[in-house]
Amino acid sequence: MVTADLKSKVDKVWNAFWSGGIANPMEVIEQITYLLFIKRLDELHTLAENKANTLGKPIENPVFPEGMDDTGRRPRPYSDLRWSHFQHFAAQEMYDVIDQNVFPFIRTLGEEGSSFALNMKDARFTIPTPALLSKVVDLLEDIPMDNRDTKGDIYEYMLAKLATSGQNGQFRTSRHIIKLMVDMTAPTPDDRIIDPAAGTAGFLVEAGEYLRDHHPEIWADARLRDHFNRNAFTGFDSDASMSRIGSMNMQLHGVENPTIQRRDSLAEEHTDAEGTYTLVLANPPFAGSLDYETTAKDLLAIVKTKKTELLFLALMLRLLKNGGRAAVIVPDGVLFGSSTAHKTLRRMLVEDHKLDAVVKLPSGTFKPYTGVSTAILFFTKTSSGGTDNVWFYDVRADGFTLDDKRTPTDANDLPDVLTRWLSRPQGGRIETWPEADRPRTAQSFLVPKSEIVAQGYDLSLNRYREVEHEQVEHRDPKVILAELMELERGIQE
């Protein structure tokens, strides 16, 4: 979540761009991201230098290799490409270094043919004047980049300024919601993880951080380490700018060569990725519809609809291997929609696969972007059924106020969601799970598959919740009428 201090710093940078002549908000966001990426590269190189000096060894995998040349122009020492060096140059010299040397350099980063290299080949430096660049570099110097997805924070706050952010679906999922989904799905070192609507790659970044924290054995095993850096993370996004931002974000979080591709997930045939992944983490767009002509025929064969949220669910079932699991945010309409497509998809999740949980989120979770009520679906692809009971949880507070300001508060159900979920028994003995004995009046409870089928595969929590009504004893109406008549006589007198 963006802090007040970070908001203030971003506002200053934003205003500098606008007063400097860049009025396109997406161009502002992209140029800021490039500069923060360059700044972080310097910080990573400094860390490597310090480690090498401490150990008395040469730098391993330096970001800025010695002896590098620029693109045919006058040679500069590699050190001049580092933020900590050029930030002290005069405005014009700084401008020339970034334009003629730094940007050509970052376009060469990444392995040849990698998705990062493909995304970055179109990176362009568009800040118009040395004076504006110098001012922006000074302002960005105060923004910390260590141990956090700061670029994602900035992007989240920037999009709040865009009038179209709630219409085109380009808004980030708050990190505490991402973390809950990652913690509940518990990625493993052998997982192949995909987000088919990746944006800034927030889900993939958090999954990577989870693996670092919970599976240190990755770094002692060459096979697992190579899998982590090359095959573990895949993200698709139809926006070229988002693909570039996602690529930079993953690289800055220590993933050397993930697959972050510009790709319209719903408008492609999926034979190259079908049955490839073991974990889907996503918050796909559900702000609009697609024409049948632009939608992949294999998805329409699963569910005939123009609703993007249903098509993405169909896509996830195609992408997953049998045994693969998914955590996906959907609008409430998916849970109880009455169209044939809605019912077909819900029946498919319950009957053909294993629907594990429905976690209902508060309606203000995605403010200020949208007030749409949402839920998280957790399911496992089996292609042979397996749903016995579905766990429902009604999240009433997520640690922030549910208005547009989203101010931190003490009320937070998310730790309880995770604790209860992780306490479920392994091996199918659901009757030993304390949740099995919780009444329907509680905040969480289990619902057997038979009851869901009887309700036409309705997955809305309120369909199964029981409301406790307090018994109120009312006075005899004759007594009340007598009192009213007495009052009326008093008024007349």
Side-chain angles (χ1 to χ4, degrees):
M1 187 57 63
V2 186
T3 64
D5 181 55
L6 185 56
K7 285 183 180 181
S8 175
K9 292 174 180 177
V10 170
D11 285 341
K12 291 178 181 178
V13 178
W14 181 275
N15 292 334
F17 272 101
W18 276 65
S19 61
I22 297 184
N24 182 342
M26 282 307 300
E27 185 178 0
V28 173
I29 293 170
E30 195 163 12
Q31 292 301 305
I32 288 176
T33 305
Y34 289 143
L35 291 174
L36 288 175
F37 178 66
I38 295 165
K39 181 173 183 281
R40 184 58 178 158
L41 287 178
D42 183 39
E43 292 174 356
L44 292 174
H45 190 92
T46 300
L47 289 173
E49 278 182 332
N50 294 339
K51 179 181 178 181
N53 291 335
T54 300
L55 299 175
K57 297 180 179 179
I59 300 177
E60 295 181 6
N61 301 317
V63 177
F64 303 97
E66 289 278 8
M68 66 172 293
D69 198 345
D70 56 37
T71 56
R73 301 178 180 87
R74 67 181 180 87
R76 301 192 69 101
Y78 82 97
S79 59
D80 281 5
L81 306 188
R82 298 178 60 178
W83 179 283
S84 57
H85 288 231
F86 67 65
Q87 73 172 125
H88 301 296
F89 292 172
Q92 185 62 55
E93 185 179 11
M94 182 194 302
Y95 190 89
D96 291 341
V97 167
I98 292 179
D99 182 33
Q100 299 173 15
N101 301 92
V102 175
F103 264 72
F105 170 65
I106 66 173
R107 286 196 289 268
T108 66
L109 294 176
E111 294 183 12
E112 185 175 353
S114 68
S115 61
F116 181 87
L118 292 173
N119 289 329
M120 294 305 294
K121 69 182 177 64
D122 293 326
R124 295 292 180 268
F125 178 58
T126 61
I127 293 177
T129 66
L132 175 58
L133 173 64
S134 181
K135 184 175 183 179
V136 169
V137 166
D138 287 342
L139 291 170
L140 291 179
E141 178 61 25
D142 292 333
I143 295 180
M145 286 293 291
D146 53 330
N147 299 323
R148 53 198 301 241
D149 181 13
T150 308
K151 290 197 314 301
D153 280 335
I154 292 171
Y155 182 67
E156 177 180 344
Y157 180 54
M158 288 286 191
L159 282 177
K161 300 172 179 287
L162 298 180
T164 59
S165 64
Q167 300 171 10
N168 60 20
Q170 285 188 334
F171 54 82
R172 292 181 70 248
T173 312
S174 297
R175 189 158 310 110
H176 62 294
I177 300 298
I178 292 177
K179 189 175 188 311
L180 174 71
M181 294 167 66
V182 170
D183 287 345
M184 290 179 68
T185 53
T188 69
D190 287 312
D191 269 327
R192 294 199 64 181
I193 307 167
I194 186 170
D195 181 350
T200 61
F203 279 101
L204 301 179
V205 165
E206 187 62 41
E209 295 302 302
Y210 181 94
L211 289 171
R212 289 180 185 276
D213 292 340
H214 293 80
H215 295 281
E217 68 272 18
I218 290 173
W219 315 117
D221 186 313
R223 181 189 67 81
L224 292 178
R225 187 167 61 250
D226 185 69
H227 177 74
F228 179 90
N229 283 313
R230 296 177 180 276
N231 300 316
F233 306 101
T234 299
F236 299 147
D237 200 279
S238 60
D239 188 290
S241 295
M242 291 300 97
S243 295
R244 282 193 291 274
I245 291 172
S247 289
M248 288 186 283
N249 205 359
M250 290 296 286
Q251 186 140 119
L252 291 180
H253 281 82
V255 184
E256 294 176 4
N257 193 21
T259 300
I260 307 294
Q261 292 182 350
R262 181 187 180 186
R263 177 169 173 170
D264 186 344
S265 297
L266 299 182
E268 298 274 354
E269 295 299 330
H270 312 288
T271 53
D272 62 328
E274 183 177 345
T276 301
Y277 303 95
T278 60
L279 177 58
V280 172
L281 296 164
N283 180 12
F286 43 82
S289 300
L290 293 178
D291 293 330
Y292 284 124
E293 296 177 359
T294 66
T295 306
K297 301 299 184 289
D298 58 339
L299 299 183
L300 293 175
I302 298 175
V303 55
K304 193 171 184 179
T305 181
K306 295 180 182 180
K307 293 288 186 181
T308 55
E309 57 267 31
L310 299 181
L311 290 167
F312 267 102
L313 283 171
L315 170 67
M316 292 168 194
L317 291 172
R318 293 297 300 269
L319 295 176
L320 284 171
K321 291 182 177 180
N322 279 334
R325 57 214 189 280
V328 54
I329 296 173
V330 297
D332 270 5
V334 170
L335 307 180
F336 55 77
S338 58
S339 74
T340 300
H342 282 91
K343 292 179 178 178
T344 298
L345 195 54
R346 292 198 301 268
R347 187 206 63 77
M348 190 182 305
L349 289 175
V350 173
E351 295 287 359
D352 300 340
H353 305 284
K354 184 174 183 292
L355 181 61
D356 299 305
V358 178
V359 177
K360 185 181 184 305
L361 298 175
S363 58
T365 299
F366 291 100
K367 286 187 176 182
Y369 313 120
T370 178
V372 173
S373 294
T374 56
I376 310 171
L377 291 181
F378 294 86
F379 59 88
T380 304
K381 178 179 177 178
T382 65
S383 300
S384 59
T387 304
D388 294 320
N389 295 272
V390 178
W391 186 59
F392 287 82
Y393 195 110
D394 182 16
V395 178
R396 297 165 188 167
D398 67 345
F400 298 87
T401 58
L402 300 176
D403 54 18
D404 286 352
K405 293 183 179 180
R406 295 289 278 157
T407 307
T409 65
D410 292 333
N412 188 1
D413 295 329
L414 301 190
D416 185 59
V417 177
L418 182 61
T419 299
R420 292 181 182 278
W421 176 252
L422 295 181
S423 71
R424 72 194 189 285
Q426 303 302 317
R429 297 190 60 192
I430 202 70
E431 66 275 5
T432 64
W433 191 14
E435 294 295 297
D437 297 325
R438 297 197 86 192
R440 296 289 178 86
T441 54
Q443 203 166 350
S444 63
F445 48 81
L446 281 171
V447 177
K449 173 189 171 183
S450 58
E451 190 172 343
I452 293 174
V453 173
Q455 293 292 344
Y457 301 102
D458 192 315
L459 297 178
S460 55
L461 182 142
N462 288 334
R463 174 69 67 177
Y464 307 101
R465 187 208 307 271
E466 294 178 3
V467 180
E468 279 186 310
H469 297 283
E470 291 186 13
Q471 188 172 358
V472 179
E473 291 188 9
H474 297 285
R475 292 190 297 157
D476 190 319
K478 293 180 179 179
V479 175
I480 297 173
L481 288 171
E483 290 180 359
L484 287 173
M485 293 177 64
E486 186 64 29
L487 288 170
E488 182 66 24
R489 280 195 295 271
I491 292 171
Q492 290 176 355
E493 291 176 359

